[in-house]
């Protein structure tokens, strides 16, 4: 069987869907993939070198920064700032949007990312990931926050890298969802999951059930619809890992608002939007607590949070039935 590399795949998708492409997007993906390979290398060696544990700092989210968080963020920022095609970026680990100096090579792409999602799991050698969301700005006038912050429906591509037993890349440009597995012997991501579709229904439900007492009555009622023997509970606590399992096996993931996280915990721009883009492309649903499509929420700022519920159509509709 021909082994298709991710860059080859991106080229073939562009030929099919955007034949007049300039190559900027491929260039961006190339640098993104290089960042992920560098992060993956460090994640794999984490127990052997002094990169486990915290830096002692607290980030803008009020969370402890892990050394690997810090490392992954600097790799991503460096590569994205210097790839020549990005004009602005937003990271979970940065307080503000970063607008790239116009004296550097400068392109039309905006990228949001969570450099290392699931970082509370790092020291336990549990799967973690990098999530990305890409937009294109089509005018050359001065960039403003208003131009950059928009609904997730405007994403031109989204995806994630999963650092698990194998390192994977899953991405979509709006024409299906494709998965690639890093073959360390050749150093390339090779196509392993073609045109992924989530099952219409699945037996896994996923939520931090310890927060039950903090949820609204509707969310408690929704949880009760799954918390019995017809379903099975899975919760890693690394969003990328929980998403990947849900994408492949079906079922539902729920991180609703609670009395502590009154707007939900997960961030719209670099967690919920890119994963919702993939989920919808795979035939699933992604909504907030009010049942609104995640991709239609207008962000108020770069770190806007949202309740986040996604999965197979049948289970997400069942979740929604608790609100009627
Ligand atoms: P992080 O991006 O700082 O790692 O935080 C997000 C993580 C998600 O990966 C995970 O789904 C969630 O937080 C777990 O939260 P909780 O510990 O409240 O269940
Ligand atoms: Mg995260």
């Amino acid at each position: 069987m021909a082994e298709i590399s991710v860059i080859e795949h991106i080229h073939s998708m562009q030929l099919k869907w955007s034949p007049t492409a300039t190559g900027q997007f491929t260039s961006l993906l190339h640098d993104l993939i290089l960042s992920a390979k560098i992060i993956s290398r460090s994640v794999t060696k984490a127990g052997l070198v002094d990169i486990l544990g915290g830096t002692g700092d607290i980030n803008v989210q009020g969370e402890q920064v892990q050394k690997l968080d810090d490392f992954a963020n600097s790799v991503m920022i460096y590569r994205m700032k210097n790839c020549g095609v990005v004009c602005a970026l937003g990271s979970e680990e940065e307080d503000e949007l970063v607008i790239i100096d116009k004296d550097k090579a400068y392109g039309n792409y905006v990228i949001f990312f969570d450099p290392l999602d699931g970082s509370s799991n790092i020291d336990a050698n549990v799967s973690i990931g990098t999530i990305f969301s890409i937009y294109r700005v089509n005018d050359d006038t001065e960039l403003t926050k208003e131009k950059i912050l928009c609904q997730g429906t405007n994403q031109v591509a989204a995806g994630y890298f999963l650092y698990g037993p194998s390192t994977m890349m899953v991405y979509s440009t709006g024409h299906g969802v494709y998965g690639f597995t890093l073959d360390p012997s050749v150093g390339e991501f090779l196509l392993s999951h073609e045109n992924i579709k989530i099952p219409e229904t699945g037996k896994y439900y996923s939520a931090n059930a310890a927060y039950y007492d903090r949820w609204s009555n509707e969310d408690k009622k929704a949880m009760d619809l799954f918390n019995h023997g017809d379903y099975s509970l899975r919760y890693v606590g690394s969003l990328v890992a929980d998403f990947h399992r849900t994408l492949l096996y079906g079922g539902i993931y729920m991180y609703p608002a609670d009395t502590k996280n009154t707007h939900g915990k997960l961030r719209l721009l670099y967690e919920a939007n890119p994963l919702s883009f993939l989920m919808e492309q795979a035939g699933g649903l992604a909504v907030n607590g009010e049942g609104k499509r995640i991709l239609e929420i207008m962000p108020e700022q770069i770190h806007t949070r949202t309740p986040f519920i996604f999965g197979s159509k049948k289970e997400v509709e069942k979740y929604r039935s608790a609100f009627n």
Side-chain angles (χ1 to χ4, degrees), residues 80-118:
M80 293 299 99
K81 266 188 175 172
N82 292 292
C83 70
V85 299
V86 166
C87 52
L89 60 88
S91 163
E92 179 184 318
E93 300 298 332
E94 301 295 314
D95 296 7
E96 301 289 345
L97 275 168
V98 178
I99 311 271
I100 313 292
D101 295 343
K102 277 213 166 179
D103 57 356
K104 288 199 190 296
Y106 191 83
N108 292 107
Y109 287 94
V110 174
I111 181 164
F112 292 96
F113 51 84
D114 181 350
L116 209 54
D117 176 67

Side-chain angles (χ1 to χ4, degrees), residues 222 225-226 252 287-292 309 315-324:
L225 294 172
F226 300 106
I252 186 165
V287 297
N288 71 0
E290 289 155 14
K292 181 169 180 174
I309 291 91
E315 275 67 35
V316 175
E317 279 161 8
K318 196 166 180 168
Y319 168 87
R320 286 301 308 152
S321 72
F323 290 75
N324 297 328

Side-chain angles (χ1 to χ4, degrees), residues 59 61 63-64 69 92-93 114-121 127-129 131 207-209 211 214 235-242 253 255 258 260-261 265-267 270-271 305:
N59 70 9
Q61 323 278 343
E63 298 156 350
Q64 292 204 352
D69 269 333
E92 179 184 318
E93 300 298 332
D114 181 350
L116 209 54
D117 176 67
S119 48
S120 68
N121 283 315
S127 298
I128 47 183
I131 312 174
N208 192 334
Y211 301 156
R214 299 188 204 155
Y235 188 73
V236 180
S238 271
L239 181 61
V240 177
D242 283 314
Y253 175 95
Y255 205 119
D258 60 46
K260 191 171 156 210
N261 297 296
K265 175 184 180 187
L266 298 169
R267 276 60 50 118
Y270 42 82
E271 292 178 322
R305 295 173 190 256

Side-chain angles (χ1 to χ4, degrees), residues 284-321:
L285 297 174
V287 297
N288 71 0
E290 289 155 14
K292 181 169 180 174
R293 195 176 165 214
I294 293 285
L295 294 180
E296 290 178 4
I297 299 173
M298 190 63 205
E300 281 165 18
Q301 44 110 346
I302 172 180
H303 300 295
T304 291
R305 295 173 190 256
T306 178
F308 190 24
I309 291 91
F310 61 78
S312 297
K313 270 191 179 146
K314 185 175 163 205
E315 275 67 35
V316 175
E317 279 161 8
K318 196 166 180 168
Y319 168 87
R320 286 301 308 152
S321 72

Side-chain angles (χ1 to χ4, degrees), residues 188-261:
E188 288 286 354
F189 284 97
L190 301 176
L191 183 63
S192 53
H193 296 64
E194 182 131 22
N195 202 8
I196 304 171
K197 293 289 171 206
I198 183 172
E200 288 239 328
T201 181
K203 69 171 185 167
Y204 293 126
Y205 77 101
S206 188
N208 192 334
Y211 301 156
Y212 187 90
D213 288 347
R214 299 188 204 155
W215 292 342
S216 69
N217 287 338
E218 287 83 3
D219 279 307
K220 285 180 183 160
K221 209 170 123 195
M223 179 68 169
D224 295 342
L225 294 172
F226 300 106
N227 195 13
H228 56 76
D230 291 346
Y231 285 93
S232 196
L233 175 63
R234 295 281 187 280
Y235 188 73
V236 180
S238 271
L239 181 61
V240 177
D242 283 314
F243 181 89
H244 193 65
R245 181 200 57 251
T246 308
L247 181 67
L248 296 185
Y249 297 165
I252 186 165
Y253 175 95
M254 298 166 276
Y255 205 119
D258 60 46
T259 50
K260 191 171 156 210
N261 297 296

